[in-house]
Amino acid sequence: MKKHINCQVVISDKLENDLVWDYPLKAIREIILNMIVHRDYRSASESCVKIFDDRIEFFNPGKLMDGMTPDDLNSGNYLSTLRNKAIANHFNMLGEIEKYGSGVTRVIGLFQEAGLPVPRIEENGCGIRVTVRKTVDRDTEKDTEKDTEKDTENITENQRKILSAIEQNPSASQEGIAQVVGINRANVAKNLKKLVEMGLVKRIGPDRGGHWEVVKK
């Protein structure tokens, strides 16, 4: 997977630069692990990963069990049912599974922390397809005040915390914002980039000696 997605090097005053991938690697790893644990091995269909310029699609044979729906997964309102108990127990013993039924919630949280769209989960034919995107879909976005207000309503919780931290201390460094919000510096940098693209914040002055400003609409 890492051979086919991009990585951005974020230069800072630390000894080692931060690496920001197109997608949160922990989330990608969790999705693939879930494909191994939950696929229907009786099916002749193949597990498949398709990488596009703007998204990755994961397809895995095996429908959701016990009447569960994709909406249940997205909301976290479900009880995990294991199709392959022996495989799941094996990965649990290896320490690869922290808690049964928590994988989807963890993936969604990692994408939200990275300031990326929540993964789309849907039933497709004889299996499940998960689609993740590396950018916010702006096809319907226009440069109007109404759209800006809509963007403000749709920002992630971490982005709201970043805006609040900037309002309280415009001169705060990315490292300082990271400590306030509770995420790492690389995620702060990626979220700030999104907020700048959305026109919600702007940088005044150089990286050193400058400050952030929340744009009031």
Side-chain angles (χ1 to χ4, degrees), residues 25-68:
L25 295 186
K26 288 183 179 180
I28 297 299
R29 185 177 184 277
E30 185 73 33
I31 293 173
I32 295 175
L33 178 60
N34 272 270
M35 292 174 70
I36 297 171
V37 171
H38 295 295
R39 76 155 283 164
D40 185 352
Y41 286 96
R42 299 169 300 179
S43 173
S45 299
E46 297 286 346
S47 294
C48 182
V49 178
K50 296 181 180 179
I51 303 178
F52 301 90
D53 290 340
D54 62 337
R55 69 190 187 281
I56 303 177
E57 294 181 357
F58 303 85
F59 174 78
N60 208 38
K63 291 190 173 183
L64 297 174
M65 300 177 65
D66 296 341
M68 191 185 305

Side-chain angles (χ1 to χ4, degrees), residues 76-94:
N77 183 28
Y78 67 93
L79 295 176
S80 178
T81 301
L82 297 177
R83 176 181 282 113
N84 307 302
K85 292 184 179 180
I87 297 176
N89 289 335
H90 176 73
F91 279 103
N92 180 256
M93 291 175 63
L94 291 176

Side-chain angles (χ1 to χ4, degrees), residues 156-174:
T156 67
E157 183 62 27
N158 282 333
Q159 289 169 351
R160 291 184 187 279
K161 292 180 180 179
I162 290 173
L163 290 175
S164 177
I166 291 174
E167 287 182 326
Q168 295 179 19
N169 183 10
S171 300
S173 64
Q174 292 185 5

Side-chain angles (χ1 to χ4, degrees), residues 196-210:
V196 170
E197 292 174 351
M198 295 166 71
L200 298 178
V201 298
K202 61 181 178 179
R203 183 70 182 179
I204 307 298
D207 291 341
R208 294 180 181 274

